[in-house]
Amino acid sequence: MSEIINKIPIAKPWIGEAEAEAASRSILSGWVTQGPEVAAFEKEFAELVGAKYACAVSNCTTALHLALLAAGIQPEDEVITVSHSYIATANSIRYCGAIPVFVDIEPHTYNINPTLIESVISDRTRAILVVHQMGMPCNLQAIIDIARRYELPVIEDAACAIGSKILWDGKWEKIGKPHGDIACFSFHPRKVITTGDGGMITTNNPEWDKQFRLWRQHGMSVPDTVRHDAKQVIFESYPMLGYNYRMTDIQAAVGREQLKRLPEIIERRRFLAERYQQMLADVAGLKLPTEPTWARSNWQSFCVRLPERIHQLQVMQAMLDAGVSTRRGIMCAHREPAYQIETWRCGIVKEKCEYEAGKCDRLIESEQAQDSCILLPLFHQMTEAEQNHVVKLLLNFVL
Ligand SMILES: *Cc1c(COP(=O)(O)O)cnc(C)c1O
């Protein structure tokens, strides 16, 4: 093997001339904030995932905030979710003044364990916020069955899951239809497609969609696009407290080009993920992610669990020294200083909580996943030679 391997990043957006031209189109049109490109992006996104409505916002965190507000979440309410996620998931609950109630994950899919949900439902529970972690669809069928029985809305944090699929009533459907009540997506560069920053909210509820559109633009009764086209003077009003959660037309123009690339991106990611699976299949002690029969991941991240005897940090440092970037397993919000708050875990007040320095006996799988997993590089442009190199370095440690 004489091919020279340069530094291998953990991820890299697939973005180029088409996106640069689209951004230029928007800039030269003179309409740069939320306008015609945003409207077109929303329409194309809704068609892609099979949702009735899609509303573009500034990022997935603001999308989650609005989704929870639409679900009626208020201060002191409880929302069931996972600690094992990017911190934005739990943060969005706290923006509403509500309390995240953390449930542990399944060790093989890294997604919420549905069998643990019922035991934490209380008379203050108002919603379930699930995550399709690293692009792997969570067990929506089981979760929605429970939610319907308790009349709780289900919000899907689909930040990483653009283009992932789930088998639903015998048919493959895209995440974001949504199968729950609202789904939220991210276009951060670390995700599968990007607009620099950006988010999208999908729902089939027309009232909620209307709400999202008001909230994202300061609660203003008349959108500026309408005022711009009006033949008569219109005065706007502000019937409610709103936010500035807009996406710009420059971002949306880029997003529309990224959507065109999505099928190819997913095909490539699935090919590379399958190749990792084959090359690492027989390594004793190494645990690979498993795709349930009813799920098709976009493999936003490829996460491997190291054998117990192997030190996560040492492997990561050695790989970095050899020019390969990895990341540790997904973080746990409950271990962060920002989460040493009065009430959070299971809604228990802090004095009664037996949680100590990063250990919670109800979140053992979450903590173990964070401590023993590493994410391997996976991106559209990655060559097979680069992937072989990553595997070779990893095997130096685990064999
Ligand atoms: C990235 C991510 C977010 C936050 O998305 P932003 O667009 O950066 O706000 C939320 N939840 C999960 C699971 C994520 O991976």
Side-chain angles (χ1 to χ4, degrees):
M1 232 178 54
S2 59
E3 201 169 336
I4 294 164
I5 305 282
N6 291 317
K7 281 199 161 108
I8 303 177
I10 181 78
K12 192 178 191 176
W14 189 38
I15 190 165
E17 284 300 328
E19 286 80 0
E21 269 171 39
S24 160
R25 178 178 79 217
S26 165
I27 290 165
L28 296 177
S29 80
W31 192 290
V32 286
T33 193
Q34 184 182 287
E37 294 287 349
V38 166
F41 185 34
E42 290 172 339
K43 188 163 170 284
E44 289 159 11
F45 194 93
E47 272 164 23
L48 175 91
V49 298
K52 282 210 180 102
Y53 307 100
C55 178
V57 287
S58 48
N59 55 65
C60 185
T61 311
T62 55
L64 291 167
H65 184 198
L66 296 189
L68 290 163
L69 289 178
I73 304 307
Q74 295 189 3
E76 308 304 321
D77 286 348
E78 293 178 2
V79 177
I80 295 171
T81 192
V82 283
S83 170
H84 181 266
S85 181
Y86 187 58
I87 198 161
T89 309
N91 281 355
S92 68
I93 296 169
R94 288 178 62 194
Y95 295 162
C96 301
I99 301 161
V101 176
F102 295 134
V103 171
D104 212 355
I105 56 163
E106 302 169 324
H108 305 296
T109 63
Y110 304 100
N111 276 328
I112 191 166
N113 185 339
T115 65
L116 301 175
I117 292 176
E118 260 187 288
S119 66
V120 297
I121 293 178
S122 78
D123 54 8
R124 283 158 66 189
T125 308
R126 293 289 176 272
I128 306 176
L129 170 53
V130 297
V131 182
H132 303 298
Q133 194 54 261
M134 299 182 269
M136 184 70 75
C138 63
N139 190 347
L140 279 176
Q141 193 73 67
I143 294 157
I144 289 169
D145 283 350
I146 297 165
R148 296 293 174 253
R149 259 192 285 129
Y150 289 86
E151 296 182 22
L152 294 169
V154 173
I155 297 165
E156 300 170 49
D157 180 343
C160 302
I162 293 165
S164 296
K165 290 183 188 166
I166 190 161
L167 192 62
W168 203 259
D169 291 335
K171 284 201 304 271
W172 286 102
E173 296 186 335
K174 296 230 176 58
I175 290 297
K177 192 182 172 191
H179 299 88
D181 296 283
I182 305 173
C184 300
F185 294 87
S186 171
F187 307 116
H188 182 272
R190 180 68 180 84
K191 318 299 184 190
V192 169
I193 59 171
T194 186
T195 59
D197 252 314
M200 192 71 80
I201 319 174
T202 62
T203 186
N204 294 319
N205 182 325
E207 292 310 313
W208 285 348
D209 184 64
K210 251 187 240 160
Q211 280 288 330
F212 299 147
R213 285 163 201 285
L214 284 168
W215 277 327
R216 74 174 170 179
Q217 196 167 8
H218 306 286
M220 187 162 89
S221 62
V222 187
D224 43 12
T225 40
V226 173
R227 254 192 317 179
H228 180 75
D229 294 334
K231 298 279 180 290
Q232 279 176 322
V233 173
I234 308 179
F235 290 155
E236 79 281 16
S237 69
Y238 299 85
M240 68 189 67
L241 178 67
Y243 307 87
N244 180 355
Y245 286 176
R246 280 186 302 250
M247 175 183 276
T248 69
D249 253 26
I250 305 172
Q251 291 166 301
V254 169
R256 294 177 68 195
E257 294 304 320
Q258 288 274 283
L259 280 189
K260 293 182 197 160
R261 296 189 197 259
L262 184 64
E264 239 184 292
I265 291 176
I266 290 180
E267 197 186 322
R268 179 71 187 166
R269 298 187 79 91
R270 288 189 60 81
F271 169 78
L272 291 169
E274 180 56 32
R275 234 176 140 253
Y276 267 140
Q277 295 275 12
Q278 283 167 9
M279 287 191 286
L280 297 170
D282 299 323
V283 182
L286 194 69
K287 293 211 178 72
L288 303 176
T290 50
E291 193 171 54
T293 53
W294 43 263
R296 291 286 178 273
S297 180
N298 64 8
W299 296 108
Q300 181 267 341
S301 288
F302 194 86
C303 176
V304 299
R305 194 185 292 259
L306 300 169
E308 244 165 65
R309 66 200 147 81
I310 309 257
H311 200 267
Q312 183 191 45
L313 186 69
Q314 276 173 9
V315 178
M316 292 177 67
Q317 188 60 54
M319 290 181 75
L320 188 62
D321 293 344
V324 173
S325 278
T326 59
R327 294 286 180 274
R328 69 172 174 172
I330 302 295
M331 65 171 295
C332 291
H334 75 279
R335 290 168 135 181
E336 294 300 319
Y339 275 76
Q340 307 314 305
I341 54 180
E342 283 310 303
T343 55
W344 57 270
R345 196 202 75 164
C346 322
I348 289 174
V349 293
K350 198 165 182 202
E351 301 80 69
K352 292 190 194 153
C353 171
E354 282 150 34
Y355 164 91
E356 265 172 62
K359 288 214 184 307
C360 169
D361 56 11
R362 300 196 196 191
L363 300 172
I364 286 172
E365 294 295 350
S366 302
E367 292 174 359
Q368 281 182 357
Q370 178 182 12
D371 295 340
S372 64
C373 291
I374 62 172
L375 312 186
L376 301 179
L378 181 60
F379 47 92
H380 184 84
Q381 308 91 317
M382 190 178 194
T383 64
E384 289 174 47
E386 285 175 323
Q387 196 178 25
N388 295 344
H389 184 64
V390 172
V391 168
K392 199 174 113 220
L393 286 175
L394 180 64
L395 293 185
N396 283 345
F397 274 91
V398 294
L399 277 186

Coordinates of all heavy atoms in Angstrom, one line a residue, residues 146-179:
I146 N -46.7 3.6 24.3 CA -46.7 4.1 25.7 C -47.3 5.5 25.8 O -48.2 5.8 26.5 CB -45.3 4.1 26.4 CG1 -44.8 2.7 26.4 CG2 -45.4 4.7 27.8 CD1 -43.3 2.6 26.7
A147 N -46.8 6.4 24.9 CA -47.2 7.8 24.9 C -48.7 7.9 24.7 O -49.4 8.7 25.3 CB -46.4 8.6 23.8
R148 N -49.2 7.2 23.7 CA -50.7 7.2 23.4 C -51.5 6.8 24.7 O -52.5 7.4 24.9 CB -51.0 6.4 22.2 CG -50.4 6.9 20.9 CD -50.9 8.2 20.4 NE -50.1 8.7 19.2 CZ -49.2 9.7 19.2 NH1 -48.9 10.3 20.3 NH2 -48.6 10.0 18.1
R149 N -51.0 5.8 25.3 CA -51.8 5.3 26.5 C -51.8 6.4 27.6 O -52.8 6.5 28.3 CB -51.1 4.0 27.1 CG -51.8 2.8 26.7 CD -51.3 1.6 27.4 NE -50.0 1.1 27.0 CZ -49.0 0.9 27.8 NH1 -49.1 1.1 29.1 NH2 -47.9 0.5 27.2
Y150 N -50.8 7.2 27.7 CA -50.8 8.2 28.8 C -51.1 9.6 28.2 O -51.0 10.6 28.9 CB -49.4 8.3 29.4 CG -49.1 7.1 30.3 CD1 -48.6 5.9 29.8 CD2 -49.4 7.1 31.7 CE1 -48.4 4.8 30.6 CE2 -49.2 6.0 32.5 CZ -48.7 4.9 32.0 OH -48.4 3.8 32.8
E151 N -51.5 9.6 26.9 CA -51.8 10.9 26.2 C -50.7 11.9 26.3 O -50.9 13.1 26.7 CB -53.1 11.5 26.8 CG -54.3 10.5 26.5 CD -55.6 11.1 26.9 OE1 -55.7 12.3 27.1 OE2 -56.6 10.2 27.1
L152 N -49.5 11.5 26.1 CA -48.3 12.4 26.1 C -47.9 12.6 24.6 O -47.8 11.7 23.9 CB -47.2 11.7 26.9 CG -47.4 11.5 28.4 CD1 -46.3 10.7 29.0 CD2 -47.5 12.9 29.1
P153 N -47.5 13.9 24.3 CA -47.0 14.1 23.0 C -45.5 13.5 22.9 O -44.8 13.5 23.9 CB -47.0 15.6 22.8 CG -47.0 16.1 24.2 CD -47.7 15.1 25.1
V154 N -45.2 13.1 21.7 CA -43.8 12.6 21.4 C -43.1 13.5 20.5 O -43.6 13.8 19.4 CB -43.8 11.2 20.8 CG1 -42.4 10.7 20.4 CG2 -44.4 10.2 21.7
I155 N -42.0 14.1 21.0 CA -41.2 15.0 20.1 C -39.9 14.2 19.8 O -39.3 13.6 20.7 CB -40.8 16.3 20.9 CG1 -42.2 17.0 21.2 CG2 -39.9 17.2 20.1 CD1 -42.1 18.1 22.2
E156 N -39.5 14.2 18.5 CA -38.4 13.5 18.1 C -37.2 14.5 17.8 O -37.3 15.3 17.0 CB -38.7 12.8 16.8 CG -39.8 11.7 16.9 CD -40.2 11.2 15.5 OE1 -39.3 10.8 14.7 OE2 -41.4 11.2 15.2
D157 N -36.1 14.3 18.6 CA -34.9 15.0 18.3 C -34.2 14.2 17.2 O -33.5 13.2 17.4 CB -34.0 15.1 19.5 CG -32.7 15.8 19.3 OD1 -32.3 16.0 18.1 OD2 -32.0 16.2 20.3
A158 N -34.4 14.7 15.9 CA -33.9 14.0 14.7 C -32.7 14.8 14.2 O -32.4 14.8 13.0 CB -35.0 13.9 13.7
A159 N -32.0 15.5 15.1 CA -30.9 16.4 14.7 C -29.9 15.6 13.7 O -29.5 16.2 12.8 CB -30.1 16.8 15.9
C160 N -29.7 14.4 14.0 CA -28.7 13.6 13.3 C -29.3 12.7 12.2 O -28.6 12.0 11.5 CB -27.9 12.7 14.2 SG -27.0 13.6 15.5
A161 N -30.7 12.7 12.1 CA -31.3 11.6 11.4 C -31.9 11.9 10.1 O -32.8 11.2 9.6 CB -32.4 11.0 12.4
I162 N -31.4 12.9 9.4 CA -31.9 13.2 8.1 C -31.7 12.1 7.1 O -30.5 11.6 7.0 CB -31.2 14.5 7.5 CG1 -31.6 15.7 8.3 CG2 -31.6 14.7 6.1 CD1 -30.8 16.9 8.1
G163 N -32.8 11.6 6.5 CA -32.6 10.5 5.6 C -32.6 9.1 6.2 O -32.6 8.1 5.5
S164 N -32.6 9.0 7.5 CA -32.8 7.7 8.2 C -34.2 7.2 8.0 O -35.1 7.9 7.8 CB -32.4 7.7 9.7 OG -31.1 8.1 9.9
K165 N -34.3 5.8 8.0 CA -35.7 5.3 7.7 C -36.1 4.3 8.8 O -35.3 3.7 9.5 CB -35.6 4.5 6.4 CG -35.5 5.4 5.2 CD -35.5 4.6 3.9 CE -35.2 5.4 2.7 NZ -34.9 4.5 1.6
I166 N -37.4 4.1 8.9 CA -38.0 3.2 9.9 C -39.1 2.4 9.2 O -39.8 3.0 8.3 CB -38.5 4.0 11.1 CG1 -38.9 3.1 12.2 CG2 -39.7 5.0 10.7 CD1 -39.0 3.8 13.6
L167 N -39.2 1.1 9.5 CA -40.3 0.3 8.9 C -41.5 0.5 9.7 O -41.6 0.3 10.9 CB -39.8 -1.2 9.0 CG -40.7 -2.2 8.2 CD1 -40.6 -1.9 6.7 CD2 -40.2 -3.6 8.5
W168 N -42.6 1.1 9.0 CA -43.8 1.5 9.7 C -45.0 0.9 8.9 O -45.1 1.2 7.8 CB -43.8 3.0 9.7 CG -44.7 3.6 10.7 CD1 -46.0 4.1 10.6 CD2 -44.4 3.8 12.1 NE1 -46.4 4.5 11.8 CE2 -45.5 4.3 12.8 CE3 -43.2 3.5 12.9 CZ2 -45.5 4.6 14.1 CZ3 -43.2 3.8 14.2 CH2 -44.4 4.3 14.8
D169 N -45.8 0.1 9.6 CA -46.9 -0.6 9.0 C -46.5 -1.3 7.7 O -47.1 -1.2 6.7 CB -48.0 0.4 8.6 CG -48.7 0.9 9.9 OD1 -48.7 0.2 10.9 OD2 -49.3 2.0 9.8
G170 N -45.3 -1.9 7.7 CA -44.8 -2.7 6.6 C -44.2 -1.9 5.5 O -43.8 -2.4 4.5
K171 N -44.0 -0.6 5.7 CA -43.4 0.3 4.6 C -42.2 1.1 5.2 O -42.3 1.5 6.4 CB -44.4 1.3 4.1 CG -45.4 0.8 3.2 CD -46.0 1.9 2.3 CE -46.7 3.0 3.1 NZ -48.1 2.8 3.4
W172 N -41.2 1.3 4.4 CA -40.0 2.1 4.8 C -40.4 3.5 4.7 O -40.8 4.0 3.6 CB -38.8 1.8 4.0 CG -38.2 0.4 4.4 CD1 -38.3 -0.7 3.7 CD2 -37.4 0.2 5.6 NE1 -37.7 -1.7 4.4 CE2 -37.1 -1.2 5.6 CE3 -37.0 0.9 6.7 CZ2 -36.4 -1.8 6.6 CZ3 -36.2 0.3 7.7 CH2 -36.0 -1.1 7.6
E173 N -40.3 4.3 5.8 CA -40.7 5.7 5.8 C -39.5 6.5 6.4 O -38.7 6.0 7.2 CB -41.9 6.0 6.6 CG -43.1 5.3 6.0 CD -44.4 5.6 6.7 OE1 -44.4 6.0 7.9 OE2 -45.5 5.5 6.1
K174 N -39.4 7.7 6.0 CA -38.3 8.6 6.5 C -38.6 9.1 7.9 O -39.8 9.4 8.2 CB -38.0 9.7 5.6 CG -37.6 9.3 4.2 CD -36.4 10.1 3.7 CE -35.8 9.5 2.4 NZ -36.9 9.6 1.3
I175 N -37.6 9.2 8.7 CA -37.7 9.9 10.0 C -38.1 11.3 9.7 O -37.6 12.0 8.8 CB -36.4 9.8 10.8 CG1 -36.1 8.4 11.2 CG2 -36.4 10.8 11.9 CD1 -37.1 7.8 12.2
G176 N -39.1 11.8 10.5 CA -39.5 13.2 10.3 C -40.9 13.3 9.7 O -41.4 14.4 9.5
K177 N -41.5 12.2 9.4 CA -42.9 12.2 8.8 C -43.9 13.1 9.6 O -44.7 13.7 8.9 CB -43.4 10.8 8.7 CG -44.6 10.7 7.8 CD -45.1 9.3 7.7 CE -46.5 9.2 7.0 NZ -47.1 7.9 7.1
P178 N -43.9 13.4 10.8 CA -43.2 12.6 11.8 C -44.1 11.5 12.3 O -45.3 11.6 12.2 CB -43.0 13.7 12.9 CG -44.1 14.6 12.8 CD -44.5 14.6 11.3
H179 N -43.4 10.5 12.9 CA -44.2 9.3 13.5 C -44.7 9.7 14.9 O -45.8 9.3 15.2 CB -43.4 8.1 13.5 CG -43.0 7.7 12.1 ND1 -41.8 8.2 11.5 CD2 -43.6 7.0 11.1 CE1 -41.7 7.8 10.2 NE2 -42.8 7.0 10.0

